[in-house]
């Protein structure tokens, strides 16, 4: 049983109240059901699914529907959708297939070429009218809060943060998550607290910070900018206990060891996936970060079975 110590920052997103303001960000191939469950268990106040294609859902893609799996150990979960056709968003939401989730989040920030070339993700920052229509459409048919995640802009010198944030608020979004890099920046350079601060001053809806939050120091830096919450992405891979550290969550029996956390991660992967190849591929992304030894990382990369990885990690 968990007990909390220290200040807990609750957060309201529409009708939803989170237990704290430290969230797991949506990450392709990372924030699947097992890892979300692990992070929720360790203290994440809200988790996000991987990006889910609304068109894939609309056309009943089996692989896309796999991303909608939800775990019984999870707390609050937001489903993150991507696409660029308002009518498709409308039909998918009206179909009730997303009813198992607490929040509907729209991705307007992904910089991946395969996403952008179809007019999705951060490509929507080049067409604010279309972006507004998508948000308004989702809000008009969704019984759940609708949120939006976006970047600083598309082109290198763009700074659309305030303008885009105001548009999202006017369109009916219950909260926004901002990553203050442009699409052309990718993940290079550093994020600046001043970007979060100016957005927070410009809107009344909750603002969630994304980007370069990896420890208590970086958390404090962005919280001082006045944001309502933060989401961790790369900082949580191989280090899911960061949610326990940042949310001041403690266990009555003491903090878990790294070995216990890894064992729990593997247990959850086995629980939700029956295909060992799938489990191995998902675990490798994290296992490479669970160890610092270069040889062990190489061995994990070359491993082909779960048993091999468990032996390398010392948890077999």
């Amino acid at each position: 049983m968990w007990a909390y110590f220290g200040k807990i920052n609750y957060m309201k997103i529409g009708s939803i109240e989170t237990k704290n303001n430290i969230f797991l960000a949506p990450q392709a191939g990372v924030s699947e059901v097992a890892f979300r469950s692990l992070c929720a268990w360790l203290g994440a106040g809200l988790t996000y699914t991987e990006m889910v294609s609304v068109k894939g859902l609309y056309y009943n893609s089996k692989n896309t529907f796999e991303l909608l799996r939800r775990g019984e150990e999870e707390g609050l979960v937001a489903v993150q959708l991507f696409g660029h056709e308002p009518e498709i968003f409308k039909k998918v939401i009206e179909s009730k297939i997303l009813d198992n989730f607490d929040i509907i989040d729209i991705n307007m920030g992904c910089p991946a070429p395969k996403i952008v070339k179809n007019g999705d993700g951060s490509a929507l920052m080049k067409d604010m009218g279309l972006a507004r229509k998508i948000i308004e459409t989702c809000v008009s048919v969704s019984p759940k809060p609708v949120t939006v995640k976006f970047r600083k802009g598309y082109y290198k010198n763009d700074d659309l943060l305030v303008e885009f944030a105001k548009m999202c608020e006017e369109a009916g979004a219950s909260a926004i998550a901002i990553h203050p890099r442009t699409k052309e920046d990718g993940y290079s350079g550093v994020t600046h607290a001043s970007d979060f601060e100016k957005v927070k001053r410009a809107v009344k809806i909750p603002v969630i910070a994304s980007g370069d939050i990896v420890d208590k120091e970086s958390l404090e830096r962005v919280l001082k900018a006045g944001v309502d919450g933060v989401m961790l992405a790369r900082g949580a891979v191989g280090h899911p206990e960061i949610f326990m550290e940042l949310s001041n969550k403690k266990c009555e029996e003491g903090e878990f060891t790294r070995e216990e956390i890894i064992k729990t991660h593997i247990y959850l992967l086995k629980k939700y996936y029956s295909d060992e190849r799938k489990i191995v591929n998902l675990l490798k992304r994290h296992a490479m970060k669970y160890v610092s030894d270069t040889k062990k990382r190489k061995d994990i990369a070359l491993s082909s079975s779960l048993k091999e990885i468990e032996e390398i990690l010392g948890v077999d």
Side-chain angles (χ1 to χ4, degrees), residues 7-50:
K7 183 179 179 182
I8 300 300
N9 296 307
Y10 296 91
M11 186 171 166
K12 286 277 288 185
I13 301 177
S15 59
I16 301 296
E17 185 176 276
T18 68
K19 65 184 179 183
N20 63 51
N21 56 355
I22 315 294
F23 305 155
L24 172 67
Q27 299 173 82
V30 173
S31 56
E32 43 74 41
V33 60
F35 191 61
R36 292 199 312 268
S37 297
L38 179 67
C39 292
W41 179 55
L42 290 169
L46 172 69
T47 64
Y48 291 72
T49 68
E50 302 175 64

Side-chain angles (χ1 to χ4, degrees), residues 195-212:
D195 284 326
F196 299 122
E197 187 175 0
K198 68 185 180 183
V199 172
K200 183 57 189 171
R201 288 199 307 263
V203 297
K204 295 180 180 178
I205 57 176
V207 176
I208 303 165
S210 173
D212 299 342

Side-chain angles (χ1 to χ4, degrees), residues 32 61-62 77 129 143 151 164 167 171 173-174 221 227 278 287:
E32 43 74 41
S61 164
K62 180 181 178 181
V77 186
R151 286 184 164 239
F164 208 87
M167 179 276 292
S174 294
R221 176 177 63 87
V227 297
K278 175 81 171 178

Side-chain angles (χ1 to χ4, degrees), residues 41 50 70 118 160 176 234:
W41 179 55
E50 302 175 64
R70 182 164 178 175
N118 293 322
L160 304 176
I176 53 175
R234 290 174 289 175

